[in-house]
């Protein structure tokens, strides 16, 4: 029975995750090295990777749908060379839209895992090193800042006071000095940041995230009492030391803002009721509100809300943090 391509791809990723979760990736790679002299795992071993792969392949599904290919039987009947041309065109489009090299690498890996199963005849094409380098090298250079590869590990290596600062940043996307400027409205589940960058005030709404609000409110009040902002030099030194100890590139405190935006985008995508509420609270126009109902345009609504939450006034700043 035929199904939509996006459902077929999602099913493949679900299966790969079921096979890989709870299994150490390194162990599978060692076994494959012995069996096939190839250190690789074809499974998906953690939920975050699965979510990122799924998002990438939904983007590819939308690309195919715009070209009239909506169901898996259409995909299966497509001549090999024609499908290869579509894959090439897809990666060119990502590069033209300003996707980074690392993001395109993610899309390549997701496609290799999933499309390579639906169309086994494409595996050699997708695994070809020359093709892969050609696809991602057209992407833009990675920006100076980014999220930490493993932010939880960074936080675990920090001193207690610095761990709390980092947690606030990751829970709400605060700039480092904004914690001292925050006022808390416990009755309405709101946090206002006064005179932030550019002298602008902004309000964060937590009516749909009440547990997060309670944790944040307690942390902010504690940090304000200790006048954390007088010891920021120690915070940065501690972050640099933790980065070295965990083998990660140092991204200063901004790495936690990147982490927030990337995780928050997925939360808003999954919770459309909250997304609609925040669009209303932040005064979005009708066109942006309508984007929530269209999977091809929902990113515009998400970017609008995230831009407000992190204290910018241009949509492209949200995309900068996300991709």
């Amino acid at each position: 029975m035929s199904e939509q391509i996006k459902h077929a791809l999602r099913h493949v990723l679900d299966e790969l995750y079921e096979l890989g979760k709870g299994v150490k990736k390194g162990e599978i790679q060692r076994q494959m090295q012995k069996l096939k002299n190839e250190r690789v795992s074809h499974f998906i071993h953690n939920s975050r990777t699965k979510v990122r792969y799924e998002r990438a392949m939904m983007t590819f599904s939308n690309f195919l749908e715009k070209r009239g290919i909506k169901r898996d039987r259409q995909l299966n009947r497509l001549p090999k060379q024609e499908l290869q041309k579509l894959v090439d065109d897809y990666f060119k489009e990502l590069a033209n839209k300003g996707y980074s090299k690392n993001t395109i690498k993610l899309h390549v890996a997701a496609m290799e895992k999933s499309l390579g199963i639906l169309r086994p005849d494409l595996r050699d094409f997708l695994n070809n090193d020359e093709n892969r380098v050609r696809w991602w090298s057209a992407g833009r250079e990675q920006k100076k800042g980014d999220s930490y590869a493993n932010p939880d590990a960074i936080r675990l290596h920090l001193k207690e006071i610095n761990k709390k600062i980092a947690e606030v940043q990751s829970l709400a996307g605060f700039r480092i000095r904004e914690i001292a400027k925050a006022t808390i409205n416990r009755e309405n589940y709101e946090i206002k940041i006064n005179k932030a960058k550019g002298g602008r005030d902004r309000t964060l709404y937590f009516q749909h995230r009440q547990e997060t609000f309670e944790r944040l409110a307690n942390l902010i009040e504690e940090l304000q009492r200790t006048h954390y902002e007088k010891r920021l030099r120690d915070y940065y030194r501690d972050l640099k030391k933790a980065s070295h100890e965990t083998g990660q590139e140092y991204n200063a405190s901004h790495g936690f803002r990147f982490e927030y935006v990337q995780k928050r985008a997925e939360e808003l995508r999954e919770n459309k009721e909250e997304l609609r509420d925040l669009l209303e609270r932040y005064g979005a126009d009708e066109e942006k509100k309508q984007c929530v109902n269209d999977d091809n345009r929902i990113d515009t609504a998400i970017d609008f809300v995230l831009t407000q939450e992190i204290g910018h006034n241009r949509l492209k700043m949200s995309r900068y943090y996300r991709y």
Side-chain angles (χ1 to χ4, degrees):
M1 186 175 179
S2 179
E3 62 179 336
Q4 288 186 329
I5 288 175
K6 62 177 61 178
H7 294 154
L9 290 168
R10 189 178 283 125
H11 177 73
V12 168
L13 294 171
D14 285 342
E15 289 294 314
L16 292 175
Y17 177 59
E18 286 300 315
L19 291 167
K21 70 178 181 181
V23 181
K24 292 184 178 179
K25 183 178 180 180
E27 181 60 33
I28 297 292
Q29 290 175 330
R30 285 189 289 272
Q31 291 178 15
M32 289 295 290
Q33 182 77 43
K34 292 178 182 178
L35 291 171
K36 294 192 172 184
N37 198 30
E38 183 183 28
R39 189 175 176 82
V40 66
S41 171
H42 297 294
F43 305 141
I44 299 173
H45 297 273
N46 69 70
S47 58
R48 185 179 179 188
T49 299
K50 186 230 174 191
V51 168
R52 295 176 76 190
Y53 281 178
E54 185 175 285
R55 180 179 172 189
M57 294 315 294
M58 294 308 98
T59 303
F60 180 62
S61 299
N62 292 334
F63 172 86
L64 292 178
E65 286 184 6
K66 290 176 183 178
R67 285 148 185 81
I69 304 166
K70 300 181 179 181
R71 306 196 73 81
D72 60 347
R73 65 185 175 194
Q74 293 174 288
L75 182 68
N76 292 334
R77 291 173 183 170
L78 208 60
K80 179 180 176 180
Q81 288 186 334
E82 191 173 334
L83 183 52
Q84 288 177 342
K85 175 68 165 53
L86 281 171
V87 170
D88 271 333
D89 289 344
Y90 173 67
F91 287 119
K92 287 177 184 175
E93 181 173 296
L94 293 187
N96 290 336
K97 286 183 174 180
Y99 281 55
S100 71
K101 295 180 189 297
N102 284 348
T103 301
I104 294 177
K105 283 181 183 179
L106 174 72
H107 282 248
V108 171
M111 190 175 291
E112 177 192 345
K113 294 277 190 188
S114 53
L115 186 61
I117 289 178
L118 293 183
R119 285 292 299 261
D121 58 328
L122 225 64
R123 285 177 184 166
D124 289 343
F125 176 74
L126 295 173
N127 288 326
N128 183 277
D129 285 340
E130 188 175 320
N131 289 336
R132 293 161 69 91
V133 171
R134 174 167 53 84
W135 291 329
W136 65 255
S137 62
R140 64 173 171 79
E141 292 293 337
Q142 191 72 6
K143 51 189 174 282
K144 291 181 180 179
D146 204 347
S147 61
Y148 287 101
N150 188 346
D152 289 331
I154 295 286
R155 285 188 284 271
L156 281 173
H157 280 74
L158 297 176
K159 300 172 184 176
E160 281 304 311
I161 186 68
N162 293 333
K163 191 179 297 183
K164 291 172 182 177
I165 298 171
E167 186 177 356
V168 170
Q169 289 196 277
S170 67
L171 286 175
F174 278 60
R175 296 182 182 90
I176 184 62
R177 294 184 182 277
E178 290 178 341
I179 301 170
K181 302 176 180 180
T183 55
I184 297 164
N185 183 331
R186 289 185 178 272
E187 183 178 352
N188 294 324
Y189 296 97
E190 295 176 2
I191 296 175
K192 184 178 180 181
I193 302 170
N194 304 284
K195 298 191 184 311
K197 187 174 181 179
R200 296 186 298 270
D201 298 342
R202 74 178 186 273
T203 301
L204 304 176
Y205 301 98
F206 292 87
Q207 289 78 9
H208 296 264
R209 299 178 289 159
Q210 294 183 9
E211 287 186 13
T212 299
F213 173 82
E214 294 296 340
R215 175 63 179 165
L216 257 177
N218 291 337
L219 285 170
I220 290 169
E221 289 175 346
E222 180 181 350
L223 289 170
Q224 288 178 345
R225 286 195 300 271
T226 62
H227 299 288
Y228 78 98
E229 67 275 17
K230 295 180 180 180
R231 296 188 295 273
L232 291 183
R233 185 174 296 179
D234 179 68
Y235 179 52
Y236 288 116
R237 277 198 298 260
D238 206 14
L239 282 176
K240 188 169 288 188
K241 181 171 177 282
S243 300
H244 177 73
E245 290 173 345
T246 59
Q248 300 183 59
E249 183 178 349
Y250 174 60
N251 286 318
S253 67
H254 237 53
F256 300 121
R257 267 169 67 84
F258 280 91
E259 178 194 7
Y260 171 75
V261 171
Q262 290 162 12
K263 287 184 176 180
R264 183 72 170 131
E266 297 306 322
E267 288 180 5
L268 293 172
R269 190 184 307 279
E270 294 300 318
N271 191 345
K272 293 182 179 179
E273 180 184 352
E274 180 183 13
L275 181 55
R276 291 189 183 94
D277 180 37
L278 291 172
L279 287 168
E280 186 68 36
R281 289 177 184 273
Y282 286 126
D285 57 34
E286 286 303 316
E287 183 179 355
K288 290 185 180 68
K289 292 177 183 178
Q290 289 303 314
C291 289
V292 179
N293 304 316
D294 185 344
D295 287 342
N296 293 324
R297 297 193 299 149
I298 192 172
D299 279 346
T300 299
I302 292 171
D303 285 331
F304 178 83
V305 169
L306 282 172
T307 297
Q308 306 301 313
E309 289 188 344
I310 62 175
H312 281 287
N313 56 11
R314 293 171 293 170
L315 290 183
K316 71 177 184 179
M317 289 308 298
S318 168
R319 293 165 191 156
Y320 171 81
Y321 280 85
R322 289 173 59 193
Y323 298 116

